[in-house]
Amino acid sequence: EAAQEEGLERTPGGGESLANSRLLDFRMADKESPGTYQKATQAQQDFTWIVKANDRAYHEQFQKRYAYCLKKKKYAGNAIKTAKYNVLTFLPLNLYEQFHRVANLYFLHIILLQTIPEISTLPWFALLFPISILLSIRGIRDLIDDIARHRSDGEINSRPCEILIGGRFCKKQWRDIHVGDIVCLRKDSFVPADLLLLSSSEPSSLCYVETMDIDGETNLKYRQALLVTHQDLASVENMASFDGKVTCEEPNSRLHNFIGTLEWRGETYPLDSEQILLRGCRIRNTESCYGLVIYAGFDSKIMKNCGKIKLKKTKLNHLMDRIVLLMCLVLILTSFGLAVGSGLWATKFRQEHSYLSVFYTDTSATKHAFYAFWGFIILLSFVLPMAMLITFEFIYLVNSCFINWDLEMYYAPKDTPAKARSTSLNDQLGQIQYVFSDKTGTLTQNVMTFKKCCIDGKIYGSSRSSNSIPVEALLSWNKYWDMKLEFYDPLLMSTIRRDDDSVLREFLRLLALCHTVMVEEKESQLIYQAASPDEEALVTAARNMGYVFLSRTQDTITISELGKERTYKVLALLDFNSVRKRMSVLVRDPEGRIKLYTKGADTVILERLHSDRSSEAYTVKALNSFAEETLRTLCLATKEVEEKEYAQWSKKHHAASVLLQNRAEELDKVYEAIEQDLQLLGATAIEDKLQDGVPETIHLLKRGGMKVWVLTGDKQETAVNIGFASQLLSDDMTILGEMEICEILKSSSNSDNSLAGSGEALFGCDSPQHFQASFTHGKMALVISGDFLDKILHDVGEEQGKRKQSAWDRLLCCQAKAKGDHQNSVEEAFVELATACQAVICCRVTPKQKALVVQMVKRHKNAIALAIGDGANDVNMIKTADIGVGISGQEGMQAVQCSDYALAQFRYLQRLLFVHGRWSYLRICKFLRYFFYKTFAGMMAQIWFAFFTGFTAQPLLEGWFLALYNVFYTSYPVLCMGMFEQDVSAKKSLKFPELYKAGQKDLLFNFQTFCLSFIQGSFVSLASFYIALWACEDNTGARIIGDYQSFAMIIATSAILTVTVEIILDVKFWTVFSVLAVFLSLILYCLFSYLTQSFPAYKTAPTVFQFPDASKNALVDPLALLVILLSVTVSTLPSLTVRFLRSITVPRTMSELAQARDLKMEPSAVELTSHIQRDSHWRRSSYAFSHKEGYGDLISRGASLRRKGPRVHSELNGVHHMLLPGKEDSMPTEDIASSHEAVAQQKFLPC
């Protein structure tokens, strides 16, 4: 029942049920447990959500506790809020969030220490100025992002709606809706909350909805109100007096389930999901409908599936946090060691110079060491470069702008550029390991096209562009032809016009008659509404070829055959289901003959043919040809039924249709009896259009080391067909279904191999040989359903997860521990199996399941995941993944609004990852490596200087040099490298996607790289310090460089020039900005040194400007210049040596290797081909497999058909309605339907 409620398709012979039962066999050995009983009891207690119609006061009185003693309303309003800040909370909350960063908290601590005079060793501005800039930049960025969220919330909350207030419908906004309100919805409007359908303008109060934003499906679904509300709520007055009470389950995330009751007038009526309109659905083909608000705002099911906004941090950011913690620890230990040295030195000094004891009467050696410790903490704080964090933010921002400005990712037809909505995740785009993609609207265009057909063994189908004569001229005879025609074959059209081919005539009649499509006329155009886009494509194809479906009643179908209207009497409609894999219609033509028209999967049609099978061989060849082109195929057949045969069959059909038990099974047997001895007419081929470049993009993603998973709410066979079309699946892959997965998991759980090990452990000696061989060659794919996946994930629901453990829970904890470990091991084994496959397709999954799959892979594989989708059903997945990409497609903008990056087409993902992502990762890694190196090179000299100053924490370098070193003197070259660096061009990045694997393996920056930067920087600081010390140590008689300030300036200049030479060697892609940045840094060093060391500045503030004319005194001496040159040479020599050795010993780059590989191989274009045998279970008639029950039952009952009749009008309070006084209870169904149509036309007055 759960599978049927979810809309899941079942495999032939109950394979899905068998697979699920096998899974349950080894997952849940003990179903009947105290925990199970407790959950059942709890489920009964969850039905506490009571909604009273037209009674806001009742709902306002209830409150619930949500945090300690704080309470809020139990029934949420309909306004949603995704923004984090408001005017009052922005500053405190933003600062609170920013100081959650370890580095910011550390620098705040240092600034507070600087306010203590006894331990302050640096001027106040040295750290306050950089951290103020950093907090301001991040705060402005967060403010801009939050303003965008406010605008989005405002647009949604301000959508118009009509609410029943004071006896009339008033125009309000979504934010004004409350639980218990009655809302009027118009055609093509969105459903603002979860509603109980009360009535509609359609017959029997049907309501057609499009659920594209929820499950990605474009076909219409119908909902139907209860008969009692349909009959009795046909006027505004009756709706205003409606006082029914709905009792149902608490708000939850189960989209396809709803259980409740309606109590009204002393009677109780059952409610299920068939009466519920979910928020986010769109009303289609229904003029108006009325609903009672059950769940509003964040209590609605779609919002329960959206998840929370999570702060995303990149892998490099997590590494940086660990490095910052490590550096803080090392800094504290170093300061402690130097402080101990300071205490020992002070003790020794006092012993050797006792005559100076008068100066130390108030200070002990311990106190001196204590002050020295904090002094060194402040002095060495520059080893943690705050400027790096500022530059970090700027580089992220610029790289995001490059994404926004990339014309190669601009989609001109919709005027949609790429958009980087997050500015702090760019480098993670270069480390993606798993890509989780939606199908409908992301990989496909949501467009079904009639591509080819085979009629009586002949294949027809060509592109309309291949014809020299305009199609408009050739089809002028058909006034109903569709302007979007893409199928046209001149030979076929000429044969149709001659009307001398009986098989062709029957073929087209079948397309026009055998379906459950609904039709309406709008602006002189026929509008088809189908339960499946495939059916609409077939009926439209027949329309374009002169056989036009015009209208239908409960027992007739009217079509136009080459301009002549013919009405067929419908004797029986044998609707489709997933077991029969076919549908049929039994009609009597105007000449009185009885015809059976059948269409379905080739596997079921071919085995029911007449003994005369002259065209079968040619049709099978055509089906194979269509399958190679990954088209969705369907077989068509017919037969003429004798009157006597029909009379006997009709009696059996009537007897089966009135059975109270096993009705469906008996009807199938009756259907089976007449669907025999068919004459094969031909086959159709429909293309589920992929977006441009999807196969090429998936091919590149796989070459780049990424594994692509498709998570879709669509049907299994449809998704598999798209998998073949997009080259996600190939003909040499072994596709594992649910039964095979169960066998593998069962054998792995029984083996001694560790389930947490490699994927090879899953394929032990008990596994089939072809599974082992497929795994060895890496050619496997998984195809599973959401129902099967739910048993793997074993999700107990978010409500119980949030609920605190009771005493009974704690008592059962020990009993359930072993069982939980076993379930976790099965989940872990499944992840090992899935990640060992080249592709995974999950079908019929809910939005929450999509997020759980992403979370499961992230948890067990510690992998970087990217999720891409285009609808509201993808929002939770996008938020859960490390990188969320929204496609601005046909399913609205919900996915884009919650995404980190927005693209117009799936194909742009290859440029986003292989170009911008890889470049961003390269730039950030080189930036980090160089920034740490230059910081250690310039600042570590403070430590060496301490050994010659008695460990007194005296600064070696000028305070202004320390403040400006990482801000102006050395920042611009590394900034340009972080913005413009490239190792290869964009063209080569796409040509050699193997280069992308460096980011997946963390090769460019890791803890080892950081240690090498530390070693190199420390060597440079040692060389600069000791070479300068060697040159100046015994030069006290020299006027120029014998003083402390000149000594400091020589070391500072050596460090500046050394790190500048290093970045010149590091940069591979030079631009004008890179050259200017090098010169600008040196110019700024000279300029600021002159300004901060001038005598006027010294006279103005002697304590701030303490190095008057230091550079002028030091750098004019030839000896000082030679010392600087020697320091730069010695410091750079190791780097040059390593680069030289690497160039001659390390193998060629990956691009060179890939280029050599491609020279040996003939390049092959990516084509939409899939050479699959027709006997493959996964490739047979994907249309028939993916189709579902249509509107056959509604058509047979006449419930969906509008009846024409007079409308009764009267006016009350300026509102048009139809009920005559005293006639409310006696109005027949037909008049009720007409009355609802009239209500739909009433003019509502604003309140």
Side-chain angles (χ1 to χ4, degrees), residues 877-1014:
M877 173 179 71
I878 287 173
K879 288 181 178 180
T880 304
D882 298 293
I883 299 289
V885 179
I887 300 290
S888 50
Q890 298 183 15
E891 297 186 27
M893 299 294 290
Q894 291 90 339
V896 170
Q897 291 168 355
C898 297
S899 65
D900 304 307
Y901 299 90
L903 302 176
Q905 293 277 287
F906 181 83
R907 70 176 186 268
Y908 297 146
L909 186 64
Q910 58 178 289
R911 189 169 179 87
L912 180 68
L913 299 182
F914 293 117
V915 178
H916 293 284
R918 203 181 65 81
W919 279 352
S920 295
Y921 174 71
L922 171 73
R923 291 163 182 170
I924 293 297
C925 289
K926 295 188 73 171
F927 164 81
L928 291 174
R929 190 206 67 80
Y930 175 78
F931 215 106
F932 279 120
Y933 154 76
K934 76 181 184 68
T935 302
F936 293 138
M939 300 300 162
M940 291 288 286
Q942 302 280 0
I943 297 177
W944 322 134
F945 185 62
F947 287 92
F948 297 89
T949 58
F951 305 98
T952 56
Q954 177 184 351
L956 167 63
L957 305 173
E958 179 191 14
W960 283 104
F961 178 86
L962 295 174
L964 301 177
Y965 175 77
N966 280 323
V967 178
F968 292 113
Y969 298 165
T970 60
S971 62
Y972 296 113
V974 71
L975 176 62
C976 288
M977 183 171 67
M979 294 189 299
F980 306 117
E981 180 67 353
Q982 301 175 17
D983 56 346
V984 295
S985 64
K987 185 177 180 180
K988 287 188 176 180
S989 295
L990 295 173
K991 186 176 181 181
F992 305 115
E994 293 82 3
L995 293 170
Y996 190 85
K997 296 179 181 178
Q1000 297 170 340
K1001 298 176 182 178
D1002 302 326
L1003 297 181
L1004 301 186
F1005 187 82
N1006 46 47
F1007 189 74
Q1008 181 182 358
T1009 309
F1010 168 75
C1011 293
L1012 293 176
S1013 300
F1014 171 76

Side-chain angles (χ1 to χ4, degrees), residues 463-600:
S463 173
R464 59 179 295 180
S465 60
S466 63
N467 304 305
S468 58
I469 304 176
V471 177
E472 292 81 357
L474 295 173
L475 292 178
S476 58
W477 56 272
N478 183 4
K479 65 179 182 180
Y480 296 106
W481 77 282
D482 186 19
M483 302 297 291
K484 300 178 181 178
L485 172 67
E486 293 193 22
F487 172 85
Y488 185 81
D489 190 300
L491 178 60
L492 178 61
M493 288 299 179
S494 62
T495 308
I496 293 173
R497 293 293 302 277
R498 290 196 304 268
D499 196 22
D500 56 1
D501 189 333
S502 60
V503 176
L504 174 58
R505 190 185 307 119
E506 291 297 296
F507 182 93
L508 296 176
R509 279 177 181 167
L510 189 152
L511 294 182
L513 293 171
C514 186
H515 56 77
T516 59
V517 173
M518 310 297 294
V519 62
E520 65 175 335
E521 189 170 344
K522 185 176 182 181
E523 298 178 358
S524 301
Q525 292 290 328
L526 296 177
I527 307 299
Y528 293 147
Q529 299 288 355
S532 164
D534 307 70
E535 276 222 311
E536 183 179 353
L538 292 173
V539 178
T540 303
R543 165 184 175 177
N544 290 328
M545 289 183 279
Y547 285 70
V548 186
F549 167 53
L550 296 177
S551 64
R552 79 188 317 148
T553 65
Q554 182 175 352
D555 53 4
T556 64
I557 295 180
T558 301
I559 66 174
S560 171
E561 298 181 2
L562 301 178
K564 299 177 182 179
E565 286 195 12
R566 291 167 59 90
T567 300
Y568 292 79
K569 181 177 178 61
V570 178
L571 303 178
L573 185 62
L574 289 56
D575 203 3
F576 182 95
N577 64 46
S578 57
V579 178
R580 285 167 32 82
K581 307 184 191 70
R582 61 192 182 277
M583 79 162 291
S584 302
V585 60
L586 192 64
V587 300
R588 186 186 298 273
D589 65 16
E591 290 75 26
R593 293 172 299 185
I594 300 176
K595 294 286 188 70
L596 177 72
Y597 294 103
T598 304
K599 65 181 181 183

Side-chain angles (χ1 to χ4, degrees), residues 9 58 161 267 615 711:
E9 305 288 340
Y58 172 80
C161 65
E267 298 289 337
S615 63
L711 312 178

